[in-house]
């Protein structure tokens, strides 16, 4: 089988409110970032499947014939399956050499790739191909790098398998899939997230697929079309952590103290709903300082709730303290336990205040970006439309 060459990308995300609570059926508000993951898929005739993941120093290849041995007769028949195929996953874990509890970056990324590749191509000839993925996002830092990776894998492999058409027409530089195709991409990306995360809510892959700002509740995705332009400072504390471990920790706390933790989760839900209402008001009425005061208070309360859930970290306390000393309010974003935080910048926040804050945070060893939010979801690119820097990482000379 010969597959088509394609380049796709998907955005990372920041969660404004509702991380962790969303895993337990509460509302989350999430927004795409202008930092993206790019994937290039090339057809080859080498009889091999090659994967290059430069962000995590990984370069692997397998003979198509050895991958075929992992398939059982029943595989690949249902391209819309919602449940993980535990038997395929068990074989892949054995093949990749993963023992239970092993969460290393390379194994998780390899497992997600092989699972989607074999599931989508398993019913026919397995094609030789090479896939390279490079991201502008920090890996494992709360900005949805696993979801952007999974969305890119799903979009490229579904397109290559012919399950969905390539949307890019002759002269266009970028193109997006239709709603139905995006739903299929999202459902396969969710499988990738399950492999990497254990028990994901699906909010991260939804933002990676659709982009923009979303309200997410129990798998239901509502795009928020009218949102004010928010200025956000992103800070990476560079403290490593694993989303899978943190999500499991909150579940343990909930099981141990249901009457204590359930009300916290309900309260987070109310934070997301109040934030959504405030954002809506900011697009239908003149924006006032009071709107920003409310957004700042919600950030402070939500950060305290996340600490109660056990997903805070001293590095994040430092972020909140350092920014508050400049009058700015911050919270962790994503799974917490280190990783990234967001700081809300008011429209009147002077660039000198932002610069001094960034300097204070750099002095703590952190990395900062003032970012624009609401970038497009998954898209296909023509090779000439991708920045040279990105192409250099995808196909180094
Ligand atoms: N560019 C990439 N190349 C290869 N693998 C990646 C890449 N980005 C993410 N991954 C995979 O995703 C894993 C990180 O996922 P994890 O969910 O822990 O963090 P995150 O998605 O960045 O944060 P959060 O889920 O809190 O938003 C890595 O261990 C790796 O397996
Ligand atoms: C911590 C969490 O709520 C967000 C991770 O970005 C996990 C999830 O929703 O899958
Ligand atoms: Mg993740």
């Amino acid at each position: 089988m010969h597959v088509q060459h394609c380049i796709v990308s998907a955005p990372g995300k920041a969660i404004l409110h509702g991380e962790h609570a969303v895993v337990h059926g509460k509302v989350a508000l999430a927004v795409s970032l202008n930092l993206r993951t790019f994937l290039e898929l090339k057809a080859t005739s080498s009889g091999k499947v090659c994967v290059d993941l430069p962000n995590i120093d990984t370069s692997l290849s397998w003979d198509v014939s050895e991958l075929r041995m992992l398939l059982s007769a029943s595989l690949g028949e249902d391209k819309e399956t919602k449940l993980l195929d535990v038997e395929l996953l068990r074989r892949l874990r054995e093949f990749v050499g993963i023992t239970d509890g092993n969460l290393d970056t390379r194994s998780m990324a390899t497992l997600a790739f092989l699972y989607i590749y074999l599931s989508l191509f398993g019913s026919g000839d397995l094609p030789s191909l090479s896939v390279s993925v490079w991201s502008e996002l920090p890996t494992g830092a709360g900005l949805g790098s696993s979801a952007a990776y999974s969305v890119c894998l799903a979009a490229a492999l579904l397109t290559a398998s012919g399950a969905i058409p390539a949307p890019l027409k002759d002269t266009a530089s970028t193109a997006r899939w239709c709603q139905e195709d995006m739903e299929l991409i999202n459902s396969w990306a969710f499988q990738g997230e399950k492999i990497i995360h254990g028990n994901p809510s699906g909010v991260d892959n939804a933002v990676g697929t659709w982009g923009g700002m979303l309200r997410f509740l129990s798998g239901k995705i509502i795009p928020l079309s009218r949102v004010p332009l928010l200025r956000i400072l992103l800070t990476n504390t560079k403290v490593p952590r694993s989303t899978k471990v943190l999500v499991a920790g909150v579940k343990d706390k909930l099981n141990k103290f249901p009457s204590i933790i359930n009300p916290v989760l309900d309260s987070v839900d109310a934070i997301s709903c109040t934030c959504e209402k405030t954002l809506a008001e900011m697009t239908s009425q003149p924006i006032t300082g009071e709107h920003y005061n409310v957004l700042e208070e919600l950030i402070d309360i939500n950060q305290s709730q996340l600490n109660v859930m056990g997903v805070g970290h001293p590095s994040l306390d430092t972020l909140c303290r350092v920014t508050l000393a400049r009058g700015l309010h911050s919270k962790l974003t994503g799974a917490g336990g280190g990783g990234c935080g967001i700081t809300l910048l008011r429209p009147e926040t002077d660039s000198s205040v932002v610069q001094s804050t960034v300097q204070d945070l750099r002095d703590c060893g952190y990395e900062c970006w003032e970012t624009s939010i609401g970038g497009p979801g998954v898209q296909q690119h023509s090779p000439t439309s991708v920045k040279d820097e990105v192409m250099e990482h995808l196909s180094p000379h």
Side-chain angles (χ1 to χ4, degrees):
M1 181 186 184
H2 193 75
V3 293
Q4 261 190 29
H5 172 254
C6 71
I7 302 175
V8 302
S9 75
K13 62 93 231 272
I15 296 189
L16 296 183
H17 293 293
E19 47 274 271
H20 290 288
V22 67
V23 175
H24 304 283
K26 311 297 174 194
V27 174
L29 296 182
V31 64
S32 59
L33 298 173
N34 62 345
L35 299 169
R36 303 181 76 84
T37 296
F38 293 83
L39 180 154
E40 181 173 30
L41 183 149
K42 287 183 191 155
T44 64
S45 49
S46 60
K48 288 187 181 298
V49 172
C50 306
V51 180
D52 270 308
L53 308 172
N55 297 101
I56 59 167
D57 297 322
T58 297
S59 187
L60 297 164
S61 93
W62 306 272
D63 283 331
V64 164
S65 54
E66 62 177 325
L67 294 180
R68 168 138 306 279
M69 314 255 282
L70 294 163
L71 290 167
S72 70
S74 62
L75 271 173
E77 279 164 8
D78 178 5
K79 289 199 169 162
E80 285 183 66
T81 185
K82 293 274 186 294
L83 295 173
L84 268 188
D85 180 336
V86 278
E87 175 53 23
L88 175 60
L89 203 54
R90 191 194 59 73
R91 284 186 217 176
L92 285 176
R93 281 177 174 275
E94 207 174 282
F95 179 69
V96 175
I98 302 175
T99 48
D100 263 356
N102 181 343
L103 299 169
D104 83 86
T105 303
R106 177 180 296 194
S107 306
M108 291 299 134
T110 309
L111 212 53
F113 167 78
L114 285 176
Y115 183 88
I116 299 178
Y117 169 82
L118 287 173
S119 302
L120 293 180
F121 291 102
S123 57
D125 285 345
L126 291 181
S128 345
L129 49 82
S130 80
V131 162
S132 6
V133 182
W134 182 76
S135 187
E136 296 166 334
L137 293 160
T139 305
L143 301 184
S145 72
S146 62
Y149 173 72
S150 299
V151 170
C152 284
L153 286 181
L157 293 170
L158 279 165
T159 305
S161 74
I164 56 176
L168 198 69
K169 301 287 170 266
D170 303 337
T171 52
S173 53
T174 57
R176 311 209 47 211
W177 286 265
C178 69
Q179 189 66 14
E180 199 186 334
D181 294 344
M182 289 209 285
E183 272 159 26
L184 193 59
I185 294 172
N186 188 46
S187 71
W188 278 99
F190 189 43
Q191 306 285 35
E193 279 284 84
K194 281 189 199 159
I195 291 167
I196 296 173
H197 270 209
N199 182 24
S201 64
V203 64
D204 292 3
N205 48 281
V207 179
T209 304
W210 278 281
M213 192 184 283
L214 301 179
R215 172 190 219 267
F216 186 96
L217 174 65
S218 304
K220 204 162 149 239
I221 301 152
I222 299 185
L224 303 183
S225 47
R226 298 185 53 203
V227 279
L229 197 69
L230 295 179
R231 286 173 72 197
I232 290 196
L233 185 68
L234 276 177
T235 300
N236 186 0
T237 65
K238 300 195 193 154
V239 173
R241 80 308 166 280
S242 150
T243 302
K244 187 172 187 165
V245 170
L246 289 151
V247 167
V250 174
K251 184 144 194 271
D252 287 347
K253 230 186 234 313
L254 179 62
N255 288 341
K256 195 168 171 192
F257 304 114
S259 59
I260 297 172
I261 301 299
N262 268 319
V264 179
L265 301 180
D266 286 337
S267 172
V268 172
D269 190 87
I271 292 267
S272 294
C273 294
T274 310
C275 180
E276 188 185 351
K277 194 166 138 264
T278 308
L279 294 175
E281 269 178 31
M282 290 167 79
T283 58
S284 60
Q285 303 168 8
I287 298 177
T288 65
E290 184 51 25
H291 287 126
Y292 273 93
N293 295 346
V294 170
L295 293 182
E296 288 175 345
E297 279 188 74
L298 295 177
I299 286 175
D300 293 345
I301 301 169
N302 193 204
Q303 175 62 17
S304 305
Q305 292 161 327
L306 288 158
N307 277 323
V308 170
M309 290 181 217
V311 297
H313 188 271
S315 61
L316 294 162
D317 297 340
T318 302
L319 165 69
C320 295
R321 190 171 34 76
V322 166
T323 53
L324 197 59
R326 301 266 177 200
L328 302 172
H329 297 249
S330 307
K331 66 175 278 287
L332 68 84
T333 189
C340 288
I342 50 175
T343 305
L344 181 66
L345 304 174
R346 298 174 75 112
E348 70 273 18
T349 306
D350 202 73
S351 68
S352 64
V353 173
V354 180
Q355 273 169 23
S356 319
T357 311
V358 167
Q359 193 51 54
D360 294 346
L361 293 168
R362 289 198 178 129
D363 292 345
C364 299
Y366 302 167
E367 196 179 351
C368 299
W369 313 262
E370 187 175 344
T371 179
S372 58
I373 55 176
V378 64
Q379 53 187 19
Q380 188 186 4
H381 298 260
S382 72
T384 51
S385 73
V386 180
K387 288 179 284 191
D388 288 349
E389 187 212 345
V390 175
M391 286 313 289
E392 195 51 45
H393 287 287
L394 290 175
S395 321
H397 299 299

